[in-house]
Amino acid sequence: MPAIEGVQTEAWNDHVLSYDTGRPAKRLRSFKTGFHPQTLMDEKYEQEVVFSYAIEITDHQMKSLLPYCNALDFEPFRNKEMKMGDEGLIGYRDEVRMYFKAITDSYIPLLELPMDYYYDEEHIWPSEKLYRYLVKTFFNGKEFQKWGPIYGGLSLFF
């Protein structure tokens, strides 16, 4: 669907945040525009959820998840780019583009990290560790054979 895309900037707690944004749009032609296509924002656009699955996490499961969620572990990777020549690189996601987005209730601003490449255990990014843990712990059941995220699916390893 055509969309209007751009960068949105906000000031929040003495920090300036910029992030990509997109709005649904329609392409219209009319006599008034000389039948040249014009992109207009579509206010009536509605998304449809085609599949949804939720689980309830117990207190014990939450405690096992917390070590993967320390915001200070993620901070050294802010503004860092993944590159093919990086040390510890073992593969990449093919035909899939993934990002990790996180925000805390502290002074630490919004964080967005790419998740295009796989690294060995010594060089793995904390976002990949968290994603791997979530998928392998909570989403590796048979009910996800058709719909669920398979860890390492659509990946090429060296």
Side-chain angles (χ1 to χ4, degrees):
M1 166 169 250
I4 299 171
E5 296 182 340
V7 176
Q8 187 169 351
T9 305
E10 296 178 357
W12 184 68
N13 283 351
D14 297 328
H15 295 283
V16 176
L17 302 174
S18 294
Y19 50 91
D20 294 330
T21 184
R23 301 281 186 259
K26 289 182 181 176
R27 298 213 14 108
L28 301 173
R29 288 185 284 187
S30 71
F31 177 76
K32 290 181 180 180
T33 64
F35 294 100
H36 296 294
Q38 186 176 20
T39 304
L40 301 172
M41 191 163 49
D42 183 6
E43 296 289 337
K44 295 182 181 180
Y45 174 77
E46 294 181 23
Q47 293 184 357
E48 180 182 352
V49 176
V50 294
F51 176 77
S52 179
Y53 183 80
I55 59 172
E56 187 174 340
I57 297 177
T58 66
D59 289 340
H60 176 70
Q61 289 170 323
M62 184 59 81
K63 285 180 184 174
S64 69
L65 179 63
L66 288 177
Y68 295 93
C69 299
N70 184 352
L72 296 177
D73 292 342
F74 292 79
E75 199 58 35
F77 296 89
R78 182 182 297 277
N79 301 323
K80 188 174 178 185
E81 293 182 25
M82 292 182 157
K83 298 177 190 157
M84 285 297 278
D86 286 346
E87 192 174 344
L89 181 75
I90 58 173
Y92 63 94
R93 288 182 168 88
D94 193 28
E95 299 182 22
V96 176
R97 176 141 255 150
M98 286 181 55
Y99 289 95
F100 172 83
K101 286 187 179 184
I103 190 162
T104 67
D105 59 356
S106 67
Y107 66 91
I108 299 173
L110 174 70
L111 176 67
E112 183 175 335
L113 301 176
M115 292 181 65
D116 299 327
Y117 298 114
Y118 292 101
Y119 295 93
D120 61 21
E121 284 300 315
E122 184 180 343
H123 300 94
I124 191 170
W125 288 31
S127 52
E128 188 67 36
K129 274 186 189 177
L130 174 60
Y131 178 70
R132 181 178 62 189
Y133 178 80
L134 290 171
V135 170
K136 290 187 174 236
T137 304
F138 300 110
F139 299 106
N140 259 356
K142 289 187 179 184
E143 65 270 14
F144 288 102
Q145 293 291 327
K146 182 177 177 185
W147 296 98
I150 300 169
Y151 188 75
L154 297 173
S155 301
L156 297 176
F157 292 99
F158 306 120

